[in-house]
Amino acid sequence: MDQPPRATFDAICESYALKQSGPARRISERVWHLPTGSGDLAVKLYTVEQHTRAHKEAAVLAHLATHGDARFRVQALQRTAAGEPAWTGFDGQAMLTRWETGQFRTYDTFTPSEWRALGASLAALHLSLDRLTLPTLDTIRARLTAIDADDIRRSLLDPLDRMPPEGDAALLRTYVDACLRMLDSHYPGSIDTFPADDPQHPIHNDYNQFNYLFDGALPPVILDWEAAIGAPREFEVVRCLNHLPLEAPELAAAFVRAYLQVRPLQPERIAWAVDAACLQHALKRWVVQGWLNDPPRFASHLHGAMNMVSTMLGARGRLIDFFSRCLDAGRP
């Protein structure tokens, strides 16, 4: 997204009855730090095509604000002067939240107490979101049933014939092969054993280290809700831990135990959740496409994706056993 004109921030401040007290500073492609006389705010901009995402994220934050649960923290939504959760302007929308300070950290630096706080936080968020119904919400079931496995295979294999000379061709071939094997291993189970009776209430769907803001208090602030979809809770628990149960099972168990102290999970859904969560790694075509377009820039993404897939490949039974044992231990 190009830099918005000054008139955009002027219109936003007018709509929110705010007085800007300094220049807006760009934080990421679509997020800006806006100082005002009423405090610093985060401005998230959306294009016209992202209208649904903007209103979905604002609706989720508005809902979570009604539950004073200390087990989770999210950004505080700022409403317009007219009480609207999001602003609609010249060429898109904007959502304003209170500016939160803190730092992002990689998952391998989290302490056991931080993993426990994250597990309890996710369970508390799920409890709150069990009571939220959004008028238009994408669901994991719709995404799974829309998958064309043959198309996925073609999209993974085609790049092997047009690799840039400066790229690591051997690494890409290894990654593509691992993704194809993940697809074969996990696609059937994700479709055939889907828990059809689940209401698929919203989940965060991107609950990971890139969206945990640590500020010295626990739990950390959970950011970025625009990827929220409807899904069984077991899917998110498995997916957000990724390969941690294989790499550091004691930390992953601390997370799951803390979750179970707040909210139960269904043991009969664990095998499906492992299949559905592992399948997501085979579907990351953006990693391959990004690497083809700009190998130096996406080299770290490809290496990270390769590490994740290689760790989880062939580990279906171990992952199911890990989560099943956690749930058994958590039963009264």
Side-chain angles (χ1 to χ4, degrees):
M1 178 180 286
D2 296 331
Q3 181 165 335
R6 172 61 187 267
T8 297
F9 288 107
D10 290 343
I12 288 173
C13 287
E14 181 179 358
S15 179
Y16 282 82
L18 297 169
K19 183 177 181 181
Q20 189 169 340
S21 61
R25 180 169 57 92
R26 191 173 206 157
I27 303 302
S28 64
E29 182 183 8
R30 295 192 291 117
V31 176
W32 295 73
H33 176 205
L34 180 67
T36 77
S38 302
D40 290 0
L41 298 171
V43 178
K44 189 171 190 178
L45 301 176
Y46 308 81
T47 64
V48 173
E49 294 76 17
Q50 295 168 329
H51 172 87
T52 300
R53 279 180 167 247
H55 286 274
K56 174 181 64 177
E57 184 166 20
V60 169
L61 288 178
H63 170 81
L64 294 174
T66 65
H67 297 98
D69 192 330
R71 293 172 296 190
F72 68 77
R73 291 194 295 155
V74 298
Q75 289 173 285
L77 181 70
Q78 182 89 5
R79 291 180 176 269
T80 68
E84 296 296 324
W87 172 83
T88 300
F90 312 114
D91 53 2
Q93 293 79 38
M95 183 188 72
L96 272 63
T97 57
R98 185 183 64 202
W99 180 260
E100 301 284 355
T101 59
Q103 62 177 323
F104 297 100
R105 291 165 38 201
T106 56
Y107 76 95
D108 55 329
T109 68
F110 299 171
T111 66
S113 61
E114 289 169 339
W115 280 113
R116 287 192 291 271
L118 286 165
S121 175
L122 182 61
L125 286 165
H126 284 172
L127 281 177
S128 177
L129 294 171
D130 285 344
R131 292 169 275 177
L132 174 63
T133 301
L134 296 173
T136 56
L137 182 66
D138 187 12
T139 66
I140 189 63
R141 185 177 190 181
R143 291 189 181 187
L144 290 171
T145 55
I147 291 173
D148 183 330
D150 290 334
D151 178 64
I152 296 295
R153 291 188 183 93
R154 283 192 297 271
S155 69
L156 288 168
L157 288 169
D158 286 349
L160 298 181
D161 297 326
R162 50 189 178 90
M163 289 184 287
E166 68 272 30
D168 187 342
L171 178 63
L172 184 64
R173 288 192 183 94
T174 303
Y175 177 67
V176 166
D177 178 68
C179 286
L180 291 172
R181 292 169 63 191
M182 291 281 277
L183 181 66
D184 292 339
S185 297
H186 299 288
Y187 174 67
S190 70
I191 296 293
D192 297 340
T193 60
F194 186 91
D197 60 335
D198 189 274
Q200 296 192 95
H201 289 306
I203 64 169
H204 185 282
N205 199 40
D206 209 9
Y207 196 84
N208 60 45
Q209 64 184 15
F210 301 106
N211 292 316
Y212 307 150
L213 186 64
F214 290 89
D215 62 359
L218 291 179
V221 179
I222 307 302
L223 308 175
D224 196 3
W225 288 84
E226 70 172 273
I229 62 170
R233 277 67 181 101
E234 292 77 12
F235 169 76
E236 181 148 67
V237 170
V238 175
R239 188 184 181 197
C240 73
L241 289 178
N242 283 315
H243 62 327
L244 191 69
L246 308 171
E247 183 180 83
E250 67 287 351
L251 296 177
F255 178 101
V256 178
R257 285 195 298 267
Y259 184 103
L260 294 172
Q261 289 173 0
V262 177
R263 188 186 187 283
L265 294 168
Q266 303 300 317
E268 65 275 11
R269 298 181 178 183
I270 291 301
W272 166 80
V274 168
D275 281 330
C278 288
L279 177 64
Q280 306 309 305
H281 295 287
L283 304 180
K284 291 182 178 179
R285 288 180 282 187
W286 66 268
V287 174
V288 175
Q289 191 57 55
W291 184 85
L292 287 173
N293 295 337
D294 191 348
R297 180 185 174 196
F298 278 83
S300 62
H301 292 290
L302 182 57
H303 279 279
M306 183 66 238
N307 178 58
M308 185 76 72
V309 171
S310 62
T311 303
M312 300 180 75
L313 186 63
R316 181 179 187 271
R318 292 167 58 198
L319 288 168
I320 292 172
D321 180 65
F322 167 82
F323 285 104
S324 298
R325 284 187 285 105
C326 287
L327 267 61
D328 286 342
R331 290 177 181 174

